[in-house]
Amino acid sequence: MVRGKTQMKRIENATSRQVTFSKRRNGLMKKAFELSILCDAQVALIVFSPRGRLYEFASSSILETIERYRNHTRIHNTPTTSESAETTQRLKEEAENMMKKIDLLETSKRKFLGEGLGSFPIDELQRIEQQLERSITKIRVKKAEVFKEQMDQLKEKEKTLVAESTRLSEKYDTYSSQQANNDDRENVVEVEAYADQSSPNSYVETELFIGLPETRTRRISPNLRIN
C-alpha cells in the first residue's frame, strides 16, 4: 500500500521529528552533491538541526560560495530572479519525488520483513506472500545450482584421489613382489649352504668285497687320512 501524502506541518512527536530530519537531511545532501557533480554547479548547503548542530556541504569552498552569493545579490539588488525561482521550484519537486520513492522503498522493505502488516487487507497480504514464495523459489534454485557445482567438484577430487590411490597400491604391490623374490633367493642360497655343510659327499671304508681274494683292493675315501 502507498502512504498518504505527508502533511506540511510540524511533527509533534520528538522521535519521529528527529528521524524525519535525519532522512530528509541525507536526501538533501545527496541531491546537492549530485547537482554539483552532474551539472558542474557550485553548491553550498548549510543546515542547523533543532538542537543547533551544524551540517554543511560545499562543492568547493563554502565561504567562497557565500561571498559569491553576496556579490550577486548586491549587483542584482534582489535575492532571487524568476529563473532561480523556477529552478528552486523544480528542485523542490524533484526532492519531493525522491522522498516519495524513498518512502515506497522503505515501505516495501518493511512489508517483506513482516513489519507493520496489521493494517494491510487480505489481498495485499496474499500478494506479499506470493512475491516471497517466488523469491524463495529463485533462492532455492540458485542454492541447488551451487550445491551441484560443489558436488561436481568433490566428485572430480574423488576421482583424482582414487587414481592416486590405485597408482600407489600398484607401486606397493610391485615393490612387495620384488622384495618377496629377493627373500626367496636368499632362502634358497641359505638352504643350499646348510645342506653342503650338514651332508658332505664322502666315501667310507668297508670290508665288503665281491670277487676273488687276490684281486681285492681297498678303496679309501679321499676325505679319510691313513696313518
Side-chain angles (χ1 to χ4, degrees):
M1 294 181 65
V2 181
R3 280 185 172 183
K5 186 176 181 180
T6 303
Q7 296 181 0
M8 290 295 105
K9 66 177 183 179
R10 183 178 182 273
I11 300 175
E12 297 300 331
N13 185 276
T15 302
S16 299
R17 185 167 61 249
Q18 181 61 31
V19 171
T20 302
F21 171 77
S22 299
K23 289 166 47 178
R24 304 216 171 196
R25 180 202 66 213
N26 293 337
L28 184 60
M29 293 287 186
K30 180 179 178 182
K31 295 301 293 185
F33 172 75
E34 292 175 352
L35 181 63
S36 65
I37 297 298
L38 297 176
C39 303
D40 194 22
Q42 186 177 1
V43 180
L45 177 63
I46 299 175
V47 178
F48 285 96
S49 71
R51 298 180 180 178
R53 185 173 180 179
L54 172 64
Y55 299 91
E56 62 181 30
F57 168 80
S59 57
S60 56
S61 170
I62 193 166
L63 295 178
E64 291 179 0
T65 306
I66 293 174
E67 186 62 27
R68 182 178 178 183
Y69 169 77
R70 288 174 177 173
N71 294 333
H72 182 79
T73 55
R74 280 197 300 267
I75 293 172
H76 292 80
N77 198 24
T78 55
T80 58
T81 63
S82 59
E83 183 179 354
S84 63
E86 293 176 358
T87 302
T88 303
Q89 182 63 27
R90 185 174 65 253
L91 292 176
K92 182 179 179 181
E93 292 176 356
E94 291 180 359
E96 290 178 354
N97 292 332
M98 181 62 68
M99 292 307 302
K100 289 179 181 179
K101 291 180 180 179
I102 293 174
D103 290 339
L104 288 174
L105 291 174
E106 291 182 349
T107 302
S108 298
K109 175 184 175 182
R110 287 194 296 270
K111 287 192 299 185
F112 289 124
L113 291 176
E115 299 176 356
L117 301 178
S119 60
F120 289 171
I122 186 64
D123 295 340
E124 182 67 15
L125 293 175
Q126 289 178 347
R127 190 186 68 80
I128 296 172
E129 182 181 11
Q130 292 172 359
Q131 180 63 41
L132 289 174
E133 289 177 352
R134 287 193 294 267
S135 299
I136 292 174
T137 301
K138 292 180 180 179
I139 293 172
R140 287 175 177 171
V141 170
K142 184 61 179 179
K143 180 180 177 182
E145 292 177 356
V146 173
F147 279 166
K148 185 177 183 301
E149 292 176 358
Q150 292 180 352
M151 289 298 296
D152 292 340
Q153 293 175 359
L154 291 175
K155 288 180 180 179
E156 291 296 327
K157 290 182 180 180
E158 182 184 8
K159 290 180 181 179
T160 303
L161 293 175
V162 169
E164 182 67 15
S165 177
T166 302
R167 185 184 67 81
L168 293 175
S169 179
E170 292 176 353
K171 185 176 181 180
Y172 176 77
D173 292 341
T174 302
Y175 173 78
S176 299
S177 178
Q178 293 176 353
Q179 189 68 25
N181 292 334
N182 293 335
D183 293 341
D184 291 342
R185 284 195 293 270
E186 291 178 358
N187 291 334
V188 170
V189 172
E190 291 178 356
V191 169
E192 291 177 351
Y194 178 77
D196 291 340
Q197 293 177 1
S198 60
S199 301
N201 186 15
S202 61
Y203 294 95
V204 179
E205 181 181 4
T206 178
E207 295 296 333
L208 179 63
F209 177 75
I210 301 176
L212 297 176
E214 298 83 19
T215 61
R216 184 178 64 175
T217 60
R218 297 181 65 185
R219 301 181 63 184
I220 307 300
S221 170
N223 295 328
L224 297 178
R225 298 178 61 184
I226 302 175
N227 295 324

